[in-house]
Amino acid sequence: MIQSSIYADEHEAFRQSVRTFLDKEVVPHFPDWEVAGRVPHELFRKLGDLGMLGLRVPSEYGGGGTDSFLYSSVWSEECARAGVSLGGAATHMNLVIPYVVRLGTEEQKQRWLPDMAAGTRMGSIAMTEPGTGSDLAGIRTHARREGEHWRLSGSKTFITGGINADLVVVVARTSEHDNRRIGLSLFVVDTTSAGFSRGRNLEKIGLRATDTAELFFDDVMVPADHLLGEEGQAFRYLAHNLVQERLGIALGSQVSAEKALRITIGYVKDRKAFGQPVSSFQNTKFELAGCHVDLTAGRALLDQAMRAHEAGELTAPEASTVKVYCTEMQNRVIDRCLQLHGGYGFMREFAIARMYTDARISRIYGGTNEVQRVIIAKSLGL
Ligand SMILES: Cc1cc2nc3c(=O)[nH]c(=O)nc-3n(C[C@H](O)[C@H](O)[C@H](O)COP(=O)(O)OP(=O)(O)OC[C@H]3O[C@@H](n4cnc5c(N)ncnc54)[C@H](O)[C@@H]3O)c2cc1C
Protein backbone atom coordinates (compact mmCIF):
# COMPACT_ATOMS: atom_id res chain seq x y z
CA MET A 1 0.00 0.00 0.00
CA ILE A 2 0.99 3.62 -0.35
CA GLN A 3 3.49 4.69 2.31
CA SER A 4 4.54 8.12 3.36
CA SER A 5 8.23 8.71 3.90
CA ILE A 6 8.04 11.78 6.08
CA TYR A 7 7.30 10.45 9.54
CA ALA A 8 9.76 9.72 12.34
CA ASP A 9 9.36 7.42 15.37
CA GLU A 10 7.85 10.17 17.54
CA HIS A 11 5.08 10.70 14.98
CA GLU A 12 4.30 6.98 14.95
CA ALA A 13 4.14 6.91 18.77
CA PHE A 14 1.76 9.86 18.65
CA ARG A 15 -0.30 7.99 16.04
CA GLN A 16 -0.95 5.20 18.53
CA SER A 17 -2.38 7.56 21.15
CA VAL A 18 -4.55 9.30 18.57
CA ARG A 19 -5.84 5.95 17.31
CA THR A 20 -6.73 4.79 20.81
CA PHE A 21 -8.49 8.07 21.54
CA LEU A 22 -10.54 8.04 18.33
CA ASP A 23 -11.56 4.41 18.74
CA LYS A 24 -12.70 5.01 22.31
CA GLU A 25 -14.03 8.58 22.41
CA VAL A 26 -15.17 9.34 18.88
CA VAL A 27 -16.04 6.33 16.72
CA PRO A 28 -18.83 4.91 18.95
CA HIS A 29 -20.61 8.30 19.13
CA PHE A 30 -19.99 9.56 15.64
CA PRO A 31 -23.29 8.40 14.05
CA ASP A 32 -25.22 10.30 16.77
CA TRP A 33 -23.14 13.42 16.15
CA GLU A 34 -23.85 13.17 12.42
CA VAL A 35 -27.56 13.22 13.23
CA ALA A 36 -27.10 16.11 15.69
CA GLY A 37 -25.03 18.07 13.14
CA ARG A 38 -22.31 18.82 15.64
CA VAL A 39 -20.02 17.27 18.21
CA PRO A 40 -20.50 18.04 21.93
CA HIS A 41 -18.29 20.80 23.31
CA GLU A 42 -16.97 18.39 26.00
CA LEU A 43 -15.12 16.50 23.28
CA PHE A 44 -12.77 19.45 22.88
CA ARG A 45 -11.74 19.32 26.52
CA LYS A 46 -10.87 15.65 26.06
CA LEU A 47 -8.85 16.57 22.98
CA GLY A 48 -7.19 19.26 25.06
CA ASP A 49 -6.31 16.71 27.76
CA LEU A 50 -4.78 14.49 25.08
CA GLY A 51 -2.54 17.41 24.15
CA MET A 52 -3.92 17.40 20.64
CA LEU A 53 -5.34 20.91 20.38
CA GLY A 54 -2.33 22.67 21.81
CA LEU A 55 0.39 20.88 19.90
CA ARG A 56 1.32 24.07 18.06
CA VAL A 57 0.94 26.29 21.13
CA PRO A 58 4.27 27.28 22.73
CA SER A 59 4.85 25.50 26.05
CA GLU A 60 4.81 28.76 28.07
CA TYR A 61 1.11 29.06 27.12
CA GLY A 62 0.24 25.48 28.03
CA GLY A 63 0.88 23.77 24.72
CA GLY A 64 3.13 21.14 23.21
CA GLY A 65 5.52 23.67 21.73
CA THR A 66 6.02 22.04 18.34
CA ASP A 67 6.01 24.04 15.17
CA SER A 68 5.63 20.96 13.01
CA PHE A 69 2.63 20.30 10.80
CA LEU A 70 3.36 16.56 10.88
CA TYR A 71 1.46 15.87 14.10
CA SER A 72 -1.65 17.49 12.66
CA SER A 73 -1.20 15.39 9.56
CA VAL A 74 -1.02 12.21 11.68
CA TRP A 75 -4.28 13.34 13.29
CA SER A 76 -5.84 13.86 9.87
CA GLU A 77 -4.71 10.45 8.67
CA GLU A 78 -6.08 8.72 11.74
CA CYS A 79 -9.44 10.49 11.44
CA ALA A 80 -9.67 9.20 7.87
CA ARG A 81 -8.71 5.69 8.98
CA ALA A 82 -11.43 5.79 11.64
CA GLY A 83 -13.95 7.21 9.14
CA VAL A 84 -14.65 10.36 11.15
CA SER A 85 -14.28 14.02 10.38
CA LEU A 86 -14.03 16.69 13.09
CA GLY A 87 -13.90 19.93 11.14
CA GLY A 88 -14.33 22.25 14.12
CA ALA A 89 -11.34 20.78 15.94
CA ALA A 90 -9.21 20.82 12.80
CA THR A 91 -10.03 24.48 12.13
CA HIS A 92 -9.25 25.36 15.73
CA MET A 93 -5.84 23.70 15.82
CA ASN A 94 -4.64 24.16 12.26
CA LEU A 95 -6.05 27.57 11.40
CA VAL A 96 -7.13 29.62 14.39
CA ILE A 97 -4.34 28.81 16.86
CA PRO A 98 -1.60 29.59 14.31
CA TYR A 99 -3.12 33.07 13.80
CA VAL A 100 -2.92 33.82 17.51
CA VAL A 101 0.55 32.30 17.87
CA ARG A 102 1.90 34.24 14.89
CA LEU A 103 0.13 37.56 15.26
CA GLY A 104 -0.89 37.86 18.92
CA THR A 105 0.75 40.23 21.37
CA GLU A 106 2.22 38.73 24.53
CA GLU A 107 -0.86 39.77 26.45
CA GLN A 108 -3.23 38.27 23.83
CA LYS A 109 -1.34 34.98 23.82
CA GLN A 110 -1.58 34.76 27.60
CA ARG A 111 -5.26 35.63 27.44
CA TRP A 112 -6.35 33.09 24.84
CA LEU A 113 -3.83 30.35 24.18
CA PRO A 114 -4.00 28.38 27.45
CA ASP A 115 -7.79 27.98 27.12
CA MET A 116 -7.50 27.21 23.42
CA ALA A 117 -4.94 24.50 24.13
CA ALA A 118 -7.14 23.06 26.90
CA GLY A 119 -10.20 22.98 24.63
CA THR A 120 -12.24 25.15 26.97
CA ARG A 121 -12.41 27.94 24.37
CA MET A 122 -12.76 26.93 20.74
CA GLY A 123 -12.08 29.16 17.78
CA SER A 124 -13.43 29.60 14.26
CA ILE A 125 -12.26 31.76 11.38
CA ALA A 126 -14.87 33.92 9.64
CA MET A 127 -13.91 35.22 6.22
CA THR A 128 -16.80 34.23 3.94
CA GLU A 129 -19.95 36.35 3.71
CA PRO A 130 -23.29 35.75 2.00
CA GLY A 131 -22.23 38.16 -0.78
CA THR A 132 -18.57 37.25 -1.11
CA GLY A 133 -16.51 34.09 -0.85
CA SER A 134 -13.83 33.77 -3.52
CA ASP A 135 -13.34 37.53 -3.72
CA LEU A 136 -12.02 38.07 -0.20
CA ALA A 137 -11.17 41.70 -0.88
CA GLY A 138 -14.91 42.29 -1.36
CA ILE A 139 -15.66 41.68 2.34
CA ARG A 140 -18.35 44.10 3.61
CA THR A 141 -18.32 43.36 7.33
CA HIS A 142 -16.80 46.52 8.75
CA ALA A 143 -15.42 47.95 11.97
CA ARG A 144 -15.03 51.59 13.00
CA ARG A 145 -12.85 52.73 15.87
CA GLU A 146 -14.73 54.37 18.75
CA GLY A 147 -12.44 55.20 21.66
CA GLU A 148 -11.17 52.00 23.21
CA HIS A 149 -13.43 49.80 21.05
CA TRP A 150 -14.19 48.87 17.47
CA ARG A 151 -17.84 48.88 16.47
CA LEU A 152 -18.20 45.75 14.29
CA SER A 153 -21.16 45.02 11.98
CA GLY A 154 -21.85 42.51 9.26
CA SER A 155 -22.58 38.86 8.68
CA LYS A 156 -20.64 35.74 7.81
CA THR A 157 -21.69 32.36 6.51
CA PHE A 158 -20.41 28.79 6.10
CA ILE A 159 -18.26 29.15 9.23
CA THR A 160 -16.84 25.80 10.29
CA GLY A 161 -17.24 25.22 14.01
CA GLY A 162 -19.29 28.40 14.28
CA ILE A 163 -22.01 26.88 16.46
CA ASN A 164 -19.53 25.54 19.03
CA ALA A 165 -17.16 28.52 18.83
CA ASP A 166 -16.25 30.62 21.87
CA LEU A 167 -13.94 32.92 19.91
CA VAL A 168 -14.22 33.92 16.27
CA VAL A 169 -11.42 35.47 14.25
CA VAL A 170 -13.40 37.87 12.06
CA VAL A 171 -12.13 39.56 8.91
CA ALA A 172 -13.57 43.07 8.63
CA ARG A 173 -12.92 46.19 6.61
CA THR A 174 -11.49 49.00 8.72
CA SER A 175 -10.58 51.48 5.95
CA GLU A 176 -11.25 52.08 2.24
CA HIS A 177 -8.49 52.18 -0.38
CA ASP A 178 -8.26 51.98 -4.16
CA ASN A 179 -6.35 48.75 -3.61
CA ARG A 180 -9.08 46.67 -1.93
CA ARG A 181 -6.49 44.30 -0.45
CA ILE A 182 -5.48 47.03 1.97
CA GLY A 183 -7.76 47.99 4.84
CA LEU A 184 -8.95 44.59 6.06
CA SER A 185 -8.24 43.70 9.70
CA LEU A 186 -8.60 40.69 11.99
CA PHE A 187 -10.54 40.79 15.26
CA VAL A 188 -10.93 38.12 17.89
CA VAL A 189 -14.60 38.30 18.87
CA ASP A 190 -15.85 36.65 22.03
CA THR A 191 -19.15 34.95 21.24
CA THR A 192 -20.59 36.12 24.57
CA SER A 193 -20.37 39.75 23.32
CA ALA A 194 -23.57 41.80 23.09
CA GLY A 195 -24.68 42.09 19.45
CA PHE A 196 -23.21 38.74 18.41
CA SER A 197 -25.66 36.05 17.33
CA ARG A 198 -25.64 32.77 15.47
CA GLY A 199 -28.01 31.77 12.71
CA ARG A 200 -28.72 28.25 11.57
CA ASN A 201 -26.46 25.26 11.83
CA LEU A 202 -26.47 24.80 8.05
CA GLU A 203 -27.60 21.47 6.67
CA LYS A 204 -24.93 20.03 4.39
CA ILE A 205 -24.77 17.06 2.02
CA GLY A 206 -21.59 15.84 3.72
CA LEU A 207 -19.36 16.39 6.78
CA ARG A 208 -22.51 16.15 8.83
CA ALA A 209 -20.94 15.97 12.29
CA THR A 210 -19.21 19.31 11.71
CA ASP A 211 -21.24 22.40 12.59
CA THR A 212 -21.28 25.09 9.90
CA ALA A 213 -22.84 28.38 10.90
CA GLU A 214 -24.17 31.74 9.89
CA LEU A 215 -22.84 34.43 12.24
CA PHE A 216 -24.20 37.95 12.75
CA PHE A 217 -22.45 40.99 14.20
CA ASP A 218 -24.80 43.79 15.07
CA ASP A 219 -22.80 46.73 16.44
CA VAL A 220 -20.59 44.45 18.50
CA MET A 221 -18.24 46.59 20.60
CA VAL A 222 -14.93 44.77 20.29
CA PRO A 223 -12.22 45.94 22.73
CA ALA A 224 -9.31 47.58 20.91
CA ASP A 225 -6.91 44.99 22.28
CA HIS A 226 -8.80 42.27 20.38
CA LEU A 227 -7.35 43.51 17.09
CA LEU A 228 -5.04 40.71 15.91
CA GLY A 229 -1.92 41.81 14.09
CA GLU A 230 -1.62 45.20 12.42
CA GLU A 231 -4.66 47.14 11.38
CA GLY A 232 -5.31 46.93 7.62
CA GLN A 233 -2.99 43.97 6.97
CA ALA A 234 -5.42 41.04 7.13
CA PHE A 235 -5.25 40.20 3.44
CA ARG A 236 -1.54 39.55 3.73
CA TYR A 237 -2.06 37.40 6.85
CA LEU A 238 -4.82 35.41 5.18
CA ALA A 239 -2.70 34.77 2.09
CA HIS A 240 0.09 33.49 4.34
CA ASN A 241 -2.12 31.16 6.41
CA LEU A 242 -4.13 29.88 3.45
CA VAL A 243 -1.00 28.07 2.26
CA GLN A 244 -1.17 25.74 5.24
CA GLU A 245 -4.96 25.49 5.04
CA ARG A 246 -4.70 24.29 1.44
CA LEU A 247 -1.99 21.81 2.28
CA GLY A 248 -4.22 20.47 5.08
CA ILE A 249 -7.14 20.05 2.69
CA ALA A 250 -4.90 18.25 0.20
CA LEU A 251 -3.74 15.90 2.93
CA GLY A 252 -7.29 15.17 4.09
CA SER A 253 -8.22 14.40 0.48
CA GLN A 254 -5.31 12.08 -0.03
CA VAL A 255 -5.91 10.07 3.12
CA SER A 256 -9.62 9.69 2.51
CA ALA A 257 -8.98 8.49 -1.05
CA GLU A 258 -6.39 6.01 0.27
CA LYS A 259 -9.00 4.69 2.67
CA ALA A 260 -11.55 4.42 -0.16
CA LEU A 261 -9.17 2.19 -2.09
CA ARG A 262 -8.51 0.00 0.97
CA ILE A 263 -12.16 -0.59 1.75
CA THR A 264 -13.04 -1.15 -1.89
CA ILE A 265 -10.36 -3.82 -2.29
CA GLY A 266 -11.96 -5.60 0.67
CA TYR A 267 -15.46 -5.17 -0.71
CA VAL A 268 -14.80 -6.47 -4.24
CA LYS A 269 -13.08 -9.57 -2.88
CA ASP A 270 -16.19 -10.43 -0.82
CA ARG A 271 -18.93 -9.45 -3.24
CA LYS A 272 -19.88 -11.98 -5.89
CA ALA A 273 -21.50 -11.41 -9.31
CA PHE A 274 -22.04 -14.09 -11.97
CA GLY A 275 -20.74 -16.62 -9.45
CA GLN A 276 -17.33 -15.02 -9.02
CA PRO A 277 -15.83 -12.27 -6.86
CA VAL A 278 -16.20 -8.79 -8.36
CA SER A 279 -12.43 -8.52 -7.90
CA SER A 280 -11.92 -11.19 -10.57
CA PHE A 281 -13.19 -8.98 -13.40
CA GLN A 282 -10.48 -7.30 -15.38
CA ASN A 283 -12.38 -4.01 -15.22
CA THR A 284 -12.27 -4.09 -11.41
CA LYS A 285 -8.54 -4.77 -11.39
CA PHE A 286 -7.86 -1.98 -13.88
CA GLU A 287 -10.07 0.50 -12.07
CA LEU A 288 -8.37 -0.14 -8.74
CA ALA A 289 -4.90 -0.24 -10.28
CA GLY A 290 -5.71 3.15 -11.82
CA CYS A 291 -6.74 4.46 -8.39
CA HIS A 292 -3.47 3.18 -6.95
CA VAL A 293 -1.50 5.02 -9.64
CA ASP A 294 -3.38 8.24 -8.87
CA LEU A 295 -2.84 7.83 -5.14
CA THR A 296 0.85 7.07 -5.49
CA ALA A 297 1.36 10.26 -7.49
CA GLY A 298 -0.70 12.22 -4.94
CA ARG A 299 1.33 10.88 -2.02
CA ALA A 300 4.63 11.78 -3.69
CA LEU A 301 3.41 15.30 -4.42
CA LEU A 302 2.06 15.69 -0.92
CA ASP A 303 5.21 14.40 0.81
CA GLN A 304 7.26 16.84 -1.23
CA ALA A 305 4.93 19.71 -0.30
CA MET A 306 4.92 18.73 3.38
CA ARG A 307 8.70 18.67 3.44
CA ALA A 308 8.80 22.09 1.83
CA HIS A 309 6.25 23.36 4.35
CA GLU A 310 8.24 21.97 7.29
CA ALA A 311 11.24 23.89 5.95
CA GLY A 312 9.12 27.05 5.63
CA GLU A 313 9.51 27.02 1.86
CA LEU A 314 6.12 26.04 0.46
CA THR A 315 4.90 28.83 -1.83
CA ALA A 316 1.29 29.82 -2.50
CA PRO A 317 1.24 28.45 -6.08
CA GLU A 318 2.78 25.18 -4.87
CA ALA A 319 0.11 24.83 -2.18
CA SER A 320 -2.56 25.57 -4.79
CA THR A 321 -1.10 22.94 -7.09
CA VAL A 322 -1.14 20.22 -4.46
CA LYS A 323 -4.66 21.24 -3.39
CA VAL A 324 -5.99 21.00 -6.96
CA TYR A 325 -4.29 17.69 -7.64
CA CYS A 326 -5.18 15.89 -4.41
CA THR A 327 -8.77 17.12 -4.16
CA GLU A 328 -9.62 16.30 -7.77
CA MET A 329 -7.88 12.95 -7.48
CA GLN A 330 -9.86 12.24 -4.30
CA ASN A 331 -13.14 12.89 -6.11
CA ARG A 332 -12.07 10.69 -9.06
CA VAL A 333 -10.89 7.83 -6.88
CA ILE A 334 -13.90 7.82 -4.56
CA ASP A 335 -16.28 7.94 -7.51
CA ARG A 336 -14.61 4.91 -9.09
CA CYS A 337 -14.59 3.06 -5.77
CA LEU A 338 -18.27 3.84 -5.22
CA GLN A 339 -19.11 2.46 -8.67
CA LEU A 340 -17.51 -0.85 -7.72
CA HIS A 341 -19.87 -1.08 -4.73
CA GLY A 342 -22.87 -1.07 -7.08
CA GLY A 343 -26.14 -0.02 -5.40
CA TYR A 344 -24.66 -0.42 -1.92
CA GLY A 345 -22.36 2.46 -2.76
CA PHE A 346 -25.41 4.72 -2.80
CA MET A 347 -26.48 3.76 0.72
CA ARG A 348 -25.31 6.02 3.54
CA GLU A 349 -24.81 3.02 5.81
CA PHE A 350 -21.83 2.15 3.62
CA ALA A 351 -18.70 4.16 4.35
CA ILE A 352 -18.00 4.77 0.68
CA ALA A 353 -21.30 6.64 0.26
CA ARG A 354 -20.48 9.00 3.13
CA MET A 355 -16.98 9.47 1.78
CA TYR A 356 -18.44 10.43 -1.59
CA THR A 357 -20.58 13.22 -0.17
CA ASP A 358 -17.84 14.34 2.25
CA ALA A 359 -15.33 14.58 -0.61
CA ARG A 360 -17.24 17.08 -2.70
CA ILE A 361 -16.44 20.08 -0.52
CA SER A 362 -12.67 19.72 -0.85
CA ARG A 363 -12.76 21.27 -4.34
CA ILE A 364 -14.71 24.24 -2.97
CA TYR A 365 -13.47 25.34 0.44
CA GLY A 366 -10.10 26.81 1.30
CA GLY A 367 -10.56 28.72 -1.97
CA THR A 368 -12.26 26.97 -4.88
CA ASN A 369 -10.12 25.04 -7.33
CA GLU A 370 -10.86 27.72 -9.92
CA VAL A 371 -9.30 30.28 -7.58
CA GLN A 372 -6.32 27.93 -7.14
CA ARG A 373 -5.93 27.83 -10.92
CA VAL A 374 -5.95 31.63 -11.01
CA ILE A 375 -3.05 31.61 -8.51
CA ILE A 376 -1.17 28.93 -10.46
CA ALA A 377 -1.71 30.73 -13.78
CA LYS A 378 -0.37 33.97 -12.29
CA SER A 379 2.79 32.14 -11.20
CA LEU A 380 3.19 30.99 -14.81
CA GLY A 381 3.23 34.61 -15.90
CA LEU A 382 -0.33 34.44 -17.32
C1 LIG B 1 -18.64 23.17 4.43
C2 LIG B 1 -18.00 24.51 4.26
C3 LIG B 1 -17.13 24.98 5.23
C4 LIG B 1 -16.56 26.25 5.10
N1 LIG B 1 -15.78 26.74 6.13
C5 LIG B 1 -15.43 28.05 6.10
C6 LIG B 1 -14.82 28.67 7.24
O1 LIG B 1 -14.58 28.04 8.28
N2 LIG B 1 -14.53 29.99 7.18
C7 LIG B 1 -14.77 30.73 6.07
O2 LIG B 1 -14.47 31.93 6.07
N3 LIG B 1 -15.32 30.18 4.95
C8 LIG B 1 -15.67 28.87 4.95
N4 LIG B 1 -16.27 28.30 3.86
C9 LIG B 1 -16.50 29.11 2.68
C10 LIG B 1 -15.71 28.68 1.46
O3 LIG B 1 -14.35 28.98 1.62
C11 LIG B 1 -16.36 29.37 0.24
O4 LIG B 1 -17.61 28.74 0.02
C12 LIG B 1 -15.49 29.31 -0.99
O5 LIG B 1 -14.34 30.09 -0.83
C13 LIG B 1 -16.26 29.81 -2.24
O6 LIG B 1 -16.91 31.02 -2.02
P1 LIG B 1 -18.45 31.15 -2.44
O7 LIG B 1 -19.19 30.00 -1.83
O8 LIG B 1 -18.92 32.52 -2.11
O9 LIG B 1 -18.47 30.93 -4.01
P2 LIG B 1 -18.32 32.09 -5.12
O10 LIG B 1 -17.16 32.94 -4.82
O11 LIG B 1 -19.65 32.74 -5.30
O12 LIG B 1 -17.99 31.21 -6.41
C14 LIG B 1 -18.99 30.66 -7.29
C15 LIG B 1 -18.27 30.02 -8.48
O13 LIG B 1 -17.54 31.02 -9.20
C16 LIG B 1 -16.21 30.60 -9.35
N5 LIG B 1 -15.30 31.75 -9.37
C17 LIG B 1 -15.23 32.76 -8.47
N6 LIG B 1 -14.24 33.61 -8.79
C18 LIG B 1 -13.66 33.12 -9.92
C19 LIG B 1 -12.58 33.56 -10.76
N7 LIG B 1 -11.86 34.65 -10.47
N8 LIG B 1 -12.27 32.82 -11.85
C20 LIG B 1 -12.97 31.69 -12.13
N9 LIG B 1 -14.00 31.24 -11.40
C21 LIG B 1 -14.34 31.94 -10.29
C22 LIG B 1 -15.93 29.74 -8.15
O14 LIG B 1 -14.82 28.91 -8.37
C23 LIG B 1 -17.24 28.97 -8.04
O15 LIG B 1 -17.23 27.89 -8.93
C24 LIG B 1 -16.82 27.02 3.95
C25 LIG B 1 -17.68 26.53 2.96
C26 LIG B 1 -18.30 25.31 3.12
C27 LIG B 1 -19.28 24.87 2.08
Side-chain angles (χ1 to χ4, degrees):
M1 269 303 197
I2 300 122
Q3 290 290 339
S4 173
S5 57
I6 52 174
Y7 298 113
D9 289 350
E10 61 266 28
H11 302 118
E12 296 307 332
F14 177 69
R15 185 184 300 282
Q16 285 314 316
S17 57
V18 170
R19 191 170 291 188
T20 307
F21 178 87
L22 290 174
D23 288 347
K24 181 163 167 264
E25 301 286 353
V26 175
V27 172
H29 311 291
F30 198 73
D32 291 340
W33 298 343
E34 284 197 305
V35 173
R38 62 192 287 192
V39 302
H41 205 288
E42 307 88 77
L43 175 71
F44 302 127
R45 193 186 285 259
K46 291 181 182 169
L47 279 168
D49 290 345
L50 182 70
M52 189 61 230
L53 298 179
L55 276 168
R56 314 281 293 276
V57 171
S59 48
E60 59 269 37
Y61 309 110
T66 168
D67 194 31
S68 172
F69 180 66
L70 296 182
Y71 292 95
S72 313
S73 69
V74 167
W75 165 259
S76 192
E77 289 182 4
E78 288 306 307
C79 285
R81 184 199 65 85
V84 300
S85 174
L86 302 170
T91 299
H92 176 77
M93 59 191 171
N94 293 331
L95 305 182
V96 180
I97 284 178
Y99 274 110
V100 179
V101 170
R102 179 161 166 260
L103 302 173
T105 61
E106 180 56 34
E107 193 275 319
Q108 288 176 329
K109 290 181 195 178
Q110 283 181 17
R111 190 193 307 153
W112 292 315
L113 288 177
D115 289 348
M116 293 176 104
T120 48
R121 285 173 116 186
M122 293 299 290
S124 287
I125 169 99
M127 300 175 269
T128 306
E129 304 187 346
T132 191
S134 301
D135 181 15
L136 275 180
I139 279 173
R140 300 185 59 178
T141 294
H142 57 273
R144 299 280 171 264
R145 184 81 190 238
E146 289 186 10
E148 284 311 299
H149 288 83
W150 290 86
R151 183 185 289 272
L152 176 77
S153 292
S155 58
K156 300 285 180 180
T157 193
F158 301 151
I159 306 309
T160 299
I163 298 289
N164 273 328
D166 306 287
L167 297 170
V168 184
V169 177
V170 180
V171 187
R173 182 156 292 285
T174 45
S175 57
E176 302 289 342
H177 303 266
D178 289 343
N179 179 353
R180 294 181 312 145
R181 293 180 173 200
I182 304 172
L184 294 172
S185 302
L186 298 179
F187 296 93
V188 179
V189 176
D190 193 314
T191 56
T192 59
S193 308
F196 171 83
S197 59
R198 301 175 220 256
R200 291 171 299 152
N201 185 3
L202 299 166
E203 201 176 329
K204 307 185 293 300
I205 62 170
L207 300 182
R208 292 202 179 169
T210 295
D211 50 313
T212 306
E214 299 170 309
L215 304 179
F216 303 104
F217 305 87
D218 186 9
D219 286 334
V220 177
M221 297 305 284
V222 183
D225 62 4
H226 284 219
L227 174 75
L228 195 59
E230 275 180 58
E231 184 191 332
Q233 295 302 313
F235 198 90
R236 194 160 55 83
Y237 301 144
L238 296 175
H240 177 274
N241 282 29
L242 280 166
V243 166
Q244 178 169 293
E245 178 171 356
R246 288 166 186 160
L247 181 63
I249 293 170
L251 173 74
S253 297
Q254 173 76 27
V255 295
S256 86
E258 287 174 2
K259 168 149 181 171
L261 177 59
R262 278 198 302 278
I263 61 178
T264 305
I265 290 171
Y267 182 82
V268 296
K269 284 181 177 169
D270 281 352
R271 177 74 181 172
K272 289 202 169 55
F274 297 94
Q276 46 185 314
V278 169
S279 60
S280 68
F281 302 124
Q282 190 185 49
N283 175 66
T284 304
K285 295 178 204 277
F286 280 14
E287 283 294 285
L288 294 181
C291 290
H292 176 77
V293 170
D294 256 355
L295 284 163
T296 306
R299 191 42 97 165
L301 184 62
L302 194 63
D303 279 6
Q304 186 191 21
M306 295 214 315
R307 275 203 193 86
H309 185 59
E310 287 294 285
E313 292 166 359
L314 187 69
T315 65
E318 286 166 352
S320 296
T321 303
V322 70
K323 192 222 177 210
V324 167
Y325 184 82
C326 289
T327 58
E328 295 181 1
M329 181 271 289
Q330 171 198 26
N331 279 253
R332 276 196 307 277
V333 165
I334 292 179
D335 185 63
R336 291 165 94 176
C337 288
L338 186 151
Q339 186 71 13
L340 292 171
H341 281 71
Y344 296 95
F346 200 65
M347 302 296 137
R348 275 193 68 80
E349 65 199 86
F350 278 71
I352 194 71
R354 298 192 301 274
M355 294 171 81
Y356 181 81
T357 49
D358 286 355
R360 189 61 185 84
I361 188 59
S362 58
R363 288 155 55 199
I364 297 171
Y365 64 10
T368 66
N369 282 11
E370 290 72 34
V371 167
Q372 307 313 310
R373 286 182 163 85
V374 170
I375 295 168
I376 295 164
K378 211 176 275 176
S379 76
L380 299 175
L382 299 170

